[in-house]
Amino acid sequence: MPARESELPDTPVIESGDAARASLISTYPELAEIVSSLAENGYAILDPEYDAGDLATAEAFCRDAVADRGRIQDGWISEPAIGRVAVHQPIIDLLSQLYGRRAFPFQTLNFEVGTQQKPHSDTYHFNSSPERFMCGVWVALEDISPDAGPLIYYPGSHKLPILKRTELGGTQLYPDYEKHIQRLVEDHGLQPEYGLLKRGQALIWSANLIHGGSARKNPELTRRSQVTHYYFEDCAYHTPLDFDPERGTHFIRQPYDLSRKKHVLSQRKHLDEQLSLREIWAQRWHLWRQRPPRF
Ligand SMILES: O=C(O)CCC(=O)C(=O)O
C-alpha cells in the first residue's frame, strides 16, 4: 500500500490504465485473473477462505433473525460472526491492493431469500470523491440455486459514466432511477450473468456495476447471503440518491469503519460544500448509536 497521502491514486488501480494494472500484477502475480476480471467485467468471483464457523453462524442468522424480514442491515451489531466476515483480513488486504487505498467495511446486509431488487449501481447509493472508491463483496452462505433468485449483474456496465442525480428527468423518485437504468441496459444491449456461487465464495463488484436480484422462480428456495459494502481511506463519502437539488449539495456520510471500530470523517479537501444540519445530526445519531462491536 502507498505510504503517503500524495501517493494515493485518484482512480482505483483496477479501473486505471493498462500500466497501473500491469504494475499491480507484477507485484502480485497471483491477482492477475481477479484484476483482469474486475477491469473488463466489473466483477470477480473468488474464495476468500472465510472461517467455516462464521459462515455457519451468519447462515443461521439469515434463517432465524432475517427470515420474513427480507433483509437486516448491520447485523454485525448483534451477531459478531457477521462482523468477522466483513473484516476478514484477506479481503481487506486484497481490496486495498486492487484499489490502491486501504479498504474498510462500513455496512452489512444479510438476506434469507432472493431480493428481486431492480438493477441499480451502488454509485447511486454510495459514492466517493475521488469517485469509484467503493465496492460490494457478496458472500454466498449456501450454494445458490438458479431458481432462488440469484444475484444478477451486467458485465462491463461499470465502464458507463456515473449517473448524476441531476441527469434524471421526471420527479427524480427512485422508480425514475430504476427506469433509467433499465433503459441503459436495453440501449447498450447489456447481457446479464447470474451469481451461482457455492457456499463460501464471494463476488466483488465495482461501484458502478449494474446489479440486482433476479426473479425467484421457486419461492420455496432460500438464498442466504451477506453483502458487505466497503469504502476506501482518505476520500469524501456521499449519497447521490440524497442529492439536494435546491442547494446543489450532496449528502455527506461519515461511515463507520468496522475494521477499526470508529467513524471516518469525509475528507473536506475533496468537497467544496458545507455540511447541512441534517448531516450533522445524522453524524451525531451515528455516534450515539455506536456501540463497541464484540468481534
Ligand atoms: O443480493 C441482492 O440480491 C442484491 C444486493 C444489492 O443489490 C446490494 O447490496 O447493492
Side-chain angles (χ1 to χ4, degrees), residues 88-141:
H88 188 54
Q89 198 60 46
I91 274 287
I92 293 183
D93 292 345
L94 172 67
L95 297 177
S96 303
Q97 287 153 1
L98 296 170
Y99 280 75
R101 290 174 182 245
R102 187 184 70 81
F104 64 91
F106 67 94
Q107 175 178 288
T108 59
L109 294 172
N110 284 80
F111 308 111
E112 163 70 351
V113 296
T115 64
Q116 305 195 92
Q117 200 175 334
K118 293 217 171 105
H120 60 281
S121 299
D122 282 354
T123 42
Y124 198 60
H125 295 253
F126 327 103
N127 207 348
S128 59
S129 304
E131 62 187 20
R132 295 176 188 266
F133 280 99
M134 183 269 148
C135 69
V137 177
W138 191 98
V139 181
L141 299 174

Side-chain angles (χ1 to χ4, degrees), residues 39-103:
E40 279 314 303
N41 304 316
Y43 77 90
I45 295 174
L46 63 150
D47 181 355
E49 301 186 350
Y50 292 108
D51 179 85
D54 287 341
L55 291 179
T57 308
E59 185 192 358
F61 179 87
C62 295
R63 185 190 62 225
D64 303 334
V66 180
D68 295 343
R69 295 168 65 181
R71 62 174 64 195
I72 290 187
Q73 183 176 322
D74 294 328
W76 56 268
I77 292 172
S78 60
E79 177 44 75
I82 290 173
R84 287 195 296 271
V85 169
V87 303
H88 188 54
Q89 198 60 46
I91 274 287
I92 293 183
D93 292 345
L94 172 67
L95 297 177
S96 303
Q97 287 153 1
L98 296 170
Y99 280 75
R101 290 174 182 245
R102 187 184 70 81

Side-chain angles (χ1 to χ4, degrees), residues 243-263:
F243 182 79
D244 181 341
E246 278 176 27
R247 294 171 66 232
T249 54
H250 292 94
F251 180 76
I252 310 300
R253 290 170 168 257
Q254 319 292 342
Y256 186 75
D257 175 349
L258 273 72
S259 60
R260 294 199 170 166
K261 301 180 175 53
K262 59 177 192 184
H263 280 85

Side-chain angles (χ1 to χ4, degrees), residues 237-239 250-254 266 268 271 273 275 279:
Y237 313 98
H238 40 94
T239 312
H250 292 94
F251 180 76
I252 310 300
R253 290 170 168 257
Q254 319 292 342
S266 267
R268 307 296 308 160
L271 295 166
E273 301 163 10
L275 286 180
E279 287 154 356

